[in-house]
Amino acid sequence: MNQRPKLALLQPGDAFPPLSQAWPAHSAAPGLIAAGGMLDVRTLVAAYSATIFPWFSKGEPTLWWSPDPRMVLQVDRFRLHRSLRRVLQAFRLNANCEIRIDTAFDTVIAACAAATRPAQTGTWIGPEMQAAYRALHRAGHAHSVETWFGGRLVAGLYCVAIGRAVFGESMFTHVTDGSKIALSALVALCRVQGRPLIDCQQNTQHLAFMGAAEMPRAEFAAAVQQLVREPDAPWRFEPVYWNALMPHSPAER
């Protein structure tokens, strides 16, 4: 009979266990490393700095994860497919379209929580999680990248940022390609500001199509350890940032 690996049970203020204690790939919950603790700003910053993130459903305790391997989008390997390039070129040339940063964080996270996803019932972004990330946003460590059409928020994503490390969380869209536009804007911002990678947490076909790939956890953790120590840059998006993805856009001719 297989026994489940030991799981660290955290009390408020406890440090996270070493990554080597995360449940292995052949276990019932690969990457699970701890349960309990708090969802306050200090704990969340410590968790993400150690490549650990919270993920749990209604009725479950707070669960903490660090899967191995980790799905990561290295921004210089982002795949700008021809169809998306056309969408972005039309977006940047339309005076009624714009990317905004952090102007509607609460709305973005609520929309992400309400978004329906294939093979998923309910959401992990419950009221407790939303409150935690709103506090992280107020502390300057969580940001929204927003797609606006004609003065209306139609899509977006939110992420965590510590130093120059970026950790993607969730996205939503009410229009075709809206979330892809937001992700493309985040990639452009990261390229301009020297943020080399975006954590995607889980392997999905959609992310792989966009250029994300699995990275050994030890390699990812080493990169994050360095990036979180680097100075942050102001979170803003300028239209010229699109040049980091489309240097030969018609808009610049």
Side-chain angles (χ1 to χ4, degrees):
M1 182 177 179
N2 294 328
Q3 292 185 338
R4 288 186 176 183
K6 186 176 180 180
L7 182 65
L9 301 177
L10 304 179
Q11 298 298 319
D14 283 353
F16 287 97
L19 298 180
S20 59
Q21 291 188 19
W23 287 19
H26 63 266
S27 67
L32 181 62
I33 192 168
M38 298 180 66
L39 283 173
D40 62 339
V41 170
R42 185 192 68 81
T43 302
L44 286 169
V45 170
Y48 279 95
S49 298
T51 73
I52 297 168
F53 59 89
W55 185 36
F56 57 95
S57 299
K58 183 178 180 180
E60 294 180 337
T62 302
L63 299 176
W64 301 90
W65 305 78
S66 186
D68 186 15
R70 191 70 159 248
M71 195 69 168
V72 176
L73 176 58
Q74 299 189 54
V75 298
D76 61 349
R77 298 183 183 178
F78 178 69
R79 293 178 186 155
L80 183 57
H81 296 277
R82 185 179 302 173
S83 59
L84 180 56
R85 177 183 289 272
R86 289 196 295 265
V87 168
L88 295 179
Q89 287 173 337
F91 182 88
R92 74 181 297 187
L93 291 172
N94 189 333
N96 292 317
C97 297
E98 61 179 320
I99 295 293
R100 301 181 188 176
I101 303 289
D102 290 339
T103 67
F105 183 89
D106 291 4
T107 304
V108 168
I109 194 171
C112 289
T116 57
R117 308 179 197 279
Q120 177 184 311
T121 58
T123 180
W124 71 95
I125 315 173
E128 185 180 9
M129 288 283 270
Q130 290 185 51
Y133 285 90
R134 287 197 298 268
L136 201 60
H137 170 64
R138 292 193 296 271
H141 291 301
H143 302 280
S144 57
V145 180
E146 307 153 8
T147 305
W148 290 77
F149 287 176
R152 184 169 65 95
L153 175 65
V154 297
L157 61 83
Y158 73 98
C159 59
V160 172
I162 303 169
R164 300 273 171 154
V166 179
F167 308 85
E169 283 298 313
S170 188
M171 60 180 65
F172 83 96
T173 189
H174 296 318
V175 298
T176 302
D177 294 325
S179 58
K180 290 181 181 179
I181 294 171
L183 177 59
S184 299
L186 176 59
V187 170
L189 181 152
C190 287
R191 286 185 178 182
V192 170
Q193 296 189 348
R195 305 175 190 269
L197 53 83
I198 301 169
D199 175 31
C200 302
Q201 299 178 354
Q202 303 291 336
N203 190 338
T204 68
Q205 184 177 4
H206 171 69
L207 290 169
F209 181 75
M210 303 292 281
E214 291 185 335
M215 178 184 290
R217 183 175 58 208
E219 182 181 342
F220 176 64
V224 168
Q225 187 177 43
Q226 175 63 38
L227 289 170
V228 297
R229 295 173 179 167
E230 296 181 8
D232 200 353
W235 274 74
R236 64 174 182 266
F237 187 89
E238 304 290 347
V240 70
Y241 288 7
W242 287 124
N243 289 347
L245 290 182
M246 301 176 292
H248 305 298
S249 169
E252 298 302 316
R253 292 177 183 173

